[in-house]
Amino acid sequence: PNCPGDKPGITGLQFMQAMTATVSDVWSKVDFLASHAYPASGVGYGFNVPLDQAAPGLTYYDKELSTIGRSDIPVLITETGWATQPD
């Protein structure tokens, strides 16, 4: 499922998997992970939910680290937050 108004695409995890398939050692060259950890109730959808439902999105970086096999690197949360007005 996609958010209303979003065009279908791939998740960050799918993009990372495609990168690994193309350049198998790409993640050995990474010093840190920048993540957009938005409050979401699902993976790639369900954004702008209350805090008690937001953990899947806010901790998405855990799935990203697991996908690239690099739990040893720092994570920078470069985007996050809730809308100031509901849709």
Side-chain angles (χ1 to χ4, degrees):
N2 294 297
C3 293
D6 284 354
K7 294 181 181 174
I10 64 172
T11 67
L13 300 179
Q14 291 167 316
F15 180 77
M16 292 171 145
Q17 291 164 342
M19 287 181 63
T20 303
T22 304
V23 182
S24 61
D25 68 339
V26 65
W27 305 115
S28 67
K29 301 169 185 352
V30 172
D31 295 323
F32 64 91
L33 175 71
S35 181
H36 295 179
Y38 281 99
S41 60
V43 175
Y45 64 92
F47 296 99
N48 234 3
V49 296
L51 180 60
D52 64 341
Q53 300 170 27
L58 295 175
T59 60
Y60 188 72
Y61 63 88
D62 284 331
K63 291 184 184 303
E64 293 172 322
L65 291 173
S66 178
T67 296
I68 66 172
R70 290 294 309 272
S71 61
D72 61 315
I73 57 175
V75 176
L76 302 176
I77 305 297
T78 56
E79 286 187 23
T80 193
W82 281 263
T84 56
Q85 297 180 7
D87 292 337

